[in-house]
Amino acid sequence: MLSIAVEFLHGTFRGDPDGTANTGRLTRGEWPPSPARLFAALVAADGTGDACRVTDGAELEWFEQLPPPVIHAAPDPVHQPLRPRFVVQHGGAPAKGTHHEYVGRSGAANRAGVRVAPRSPRVVYQWDVTPPNGTILEALQRRAARVGYLGSADSPVRARVATEASAPPPETGAFVPDHEGQTVINVTHEGDLARWDRLHEQWTERGASVSRSQSPALTHPVAYRSPLSEEPRDEGEVVAWLRLDRAVSGRRVSALTTLFKEAVLSRHQQIHGEPPAVLHGHGFSGTGYELARYLALPDVGFQRSRGRVHGLALWLPPGTGREVCRMARDAALSIQRLSGRGVDAAVSPRDDEQRPLAAHPSRWLRPSHGWATAVPAIHERRRRVDLAEVARWCEHAGLPAPVTFRKARTPLVAGALDLAPVEVNRPGRPALPYSHVELWFERAVPGPVVIGSGRQRGFGLCIPLDGRA
């Protein structure tokens, strides 16, 4: 656990949430103070590179890679819009009699924005990560001790860094990262520090000719669930992410997921005894259509993607007990090799490496309005595929109804698997048609998104499309 507690010494906070305070139309200030703002304060406390005095800057590179934290803050503070006031405008040619107190100077309107007054003056940011080593931790503590204010200069603070979870401040609630949340908070992202340094060097070299409009805002908005909102809906869980030591041809996706399922059931039998029905489907008495999904994760959606499978994932449906999830995770993570039916690859739990991206959870979990199949979706019925039919597939997969879609027999994104019927339909089973599908939803839908009748064996797996043409 890493936590940073910030105490507002005046009991108030003022910060411009999106750069619109100078319009005078802002009615609500930023709350809670974003992790990105906290990171900016830590950067300013001792600078970067040669400007550092009490640290070497390595702690900032470690800090910017942290995931979005849980934020303990007052859930419903008072927002007080401040009245505009006039200040002396410096620079330019002397003006005649335009300012009573400062002869020859004109007045300029200053719009201060909104002052936020929370019930509790303390805000605590908590990251559920392994604490940094002693050098990094000490450097963070030194920087925190040098932070004088957060947001505007009239918001003085005292910041402290700790490695243990403490009791939340009184009269506060937890703002938790949640793709269904209605509160948007800006967070840090790997690479922000390098961009700041590059822009600072440009400003140092060229001065005022480097305008703010030439520097895109470093914003990384993340949806948070407010403590005033309802509890999130259970949407299932990926209990295991695995990586293959060598890429497997996407044309072997059916054989690969079948071997994966057999290995999970076999290891579960050896470690914990008889597997539950949710893993194999025989005698399943639950409601709905959901069973475990055995997913193969191909490299799809990039210019040089070739559809080769680099990883595996095991997803369990909503309502699965925690003990069942734990035993299934144990079984999946204990698999060492998959061999047979044209597949021979060593299997290991996914490490913290970013590459290959196809085996990284962020590739398949992030919310998106648009999704396209990486593995073709098998139709649930032999009938014309229209929006109502696709909405039926989505309902069975636990997804909202799409607002529009398109389908094709061939892939719609680079690297998506173009399979022959014998590579999709199982021997001895009725052959069903299959297609590649692109879906668009009214709201951002989190992954993994898997549609169609073959989703238990990885068919219909989709990639997110937001941010793509």
Side-chain angles (χ1 to χ4, degrees), residues 149-428:
Y149 59 88
L150 199 63
S152 301
D154 59 356
S155 303
V157 299
R158 177 169 52 203
R160 294 178 178 176
V161 178
T163 56
E164 66 277 347
S166 57
E171 298 183 319
T172 64
F175 290 79
V176 182
D178 186 350
H179 60 267
E180 293 278 350
Q182 300 299 314
T183 302
V184 177
I185 300 176
N186 195 25
V187 302
T188 60
H189 194 274
E190 184 178 3
D192 283 356
L193 193 62
R195 296 186 184 97
W196 284 0
D197 285 342
R198 184 171 63 253
L199 295 175
H200 183 264
E201 290 173 1
Q202 294 176 3
W203 181 84
T204 303
E205 179 182 350
R206 296 158 51 191
S209 64
V210 181
S211 66
R212 182 175 179 179
S213 62
Q214 297 172 348
S215 306
L218 294 180
T219 57
H220 307 290
V222 169
Y224 271 72
R225 184 178 76 253
S226 165
L228 301 178
S229 63
E230 298 178 356
E231 289 298 315
R233 185 167 60 95
D234 183 5
E235 295 179 331
E237 178 186 1
V238 176
V239 298
W241 297 93
L242 306 174
R243 180 177 174 179
L244 304 177
D245 72 327
R246 64 183 67 181
V248 174
S249 170
R251 308 193 74 91
R252 298 289 184 181
V253 62
S254 181
L256 180 60
T257 55
T258 299
L259 288 171
F260 181 32
K261 178 179 179 179
E262 292 174 352
V264 169
L265 297 178
S266 175
R267 294 299 298 158
H268 195 290
Q269 179 74 39
Q270 296 172 11
I271 299 174
H272 298 295
E274 183 66 25
V278 70
L279 289 180
H280 51 68
H282 301 295
F284 182 67
S285 59
T287 59
Y289 299 81
E290 288 304 339
L291 298 170
R293 297 175 187 168
Y294 299 86
L295 308 177
L297 310 177
D299 174 23
V300 177
F302 301 101
Q303 183 178 3
R304 299 183 182 277
S305 295
R306 296 295 180 266
R308 297 176 67 80
V309 179
H310 293 269
L312 301 165
L314 174 60
W315 178 91
L316 294 183
T320 306
R322 303 313 303 171
E323 187 66 14
V324 173
C325 289
R326 183 189 65 80
M327 292 190 293
R329 181 182 297 108
D330 292 345
L333 296 181
S334 67
I335 298 173
Q336 297 182 352
R337 193 169 198 87
L338 297 177
S339 182
R341 306 173 194 176
V343 176
D344 185 20
V347 181
S348 61
R350 194 199 71 83
D351 52 28
D352 293 331
E353 295 179 355
Q354 295 296 314
R355 300 290 180 180
L357 183 59
H360 198 280
S362 63
R363 176 65 174 138
W364 308 97
L365 294 181
R366 68 179 178 86
S368 174
H369 288 82
W371 293 84
T373 49
V375 185
I378 302 176
H379 299 190
E380 294 189 355
R381 299 186 292 182
R382 290 183 173 276
R383 55 155 292 171
R384 177 175 174 268
V385 177
D386 53 15
L387 185 59
E389 179 67 6
V390 174
R392 182 175 181 270
W393 298 357
C394 292
E395 178 186 358
H396 293 169
L399 302 170
V403 295
T404 186
F405 87 105
R406 67 174 175 141
K407 79 175 186 72
R409 176 61 182 81
T410 54
L412 296 171
V413 291
L417 308 186
D418 188 7
L419 303 179
V422 70
E423 295 168 329
V424 176
N425 295 297
R426 289 179 288 182

Side-chain angles (χ1 to χ4, degrees), residues 99-151:
H99 201 289
H100 290 177
E101 288 81 11
Y102 298 89
V103 179
R105 296 295 183 187
S106 60
N110 176 267
R111 301 178 177 89
V114 178
R115 179 182 291 119
V116 180
R119 293 181 179 273
S120 173
R122 293 185 67 224
V123 176
V124 178
Y125 304 82
Q126 288 187 343
W127 292 266
D128 188 13
V129 297
T130 302
N133 60 45
T135 303
I136 296 295
L137 179 61
E138 182 181 356
L140 284 175
Q141 291 172 336
R142 288 183 176 183
R143 281 189 179 266
R146 294 166 66 91
V147 173
Y149 59 88
L150 199 63

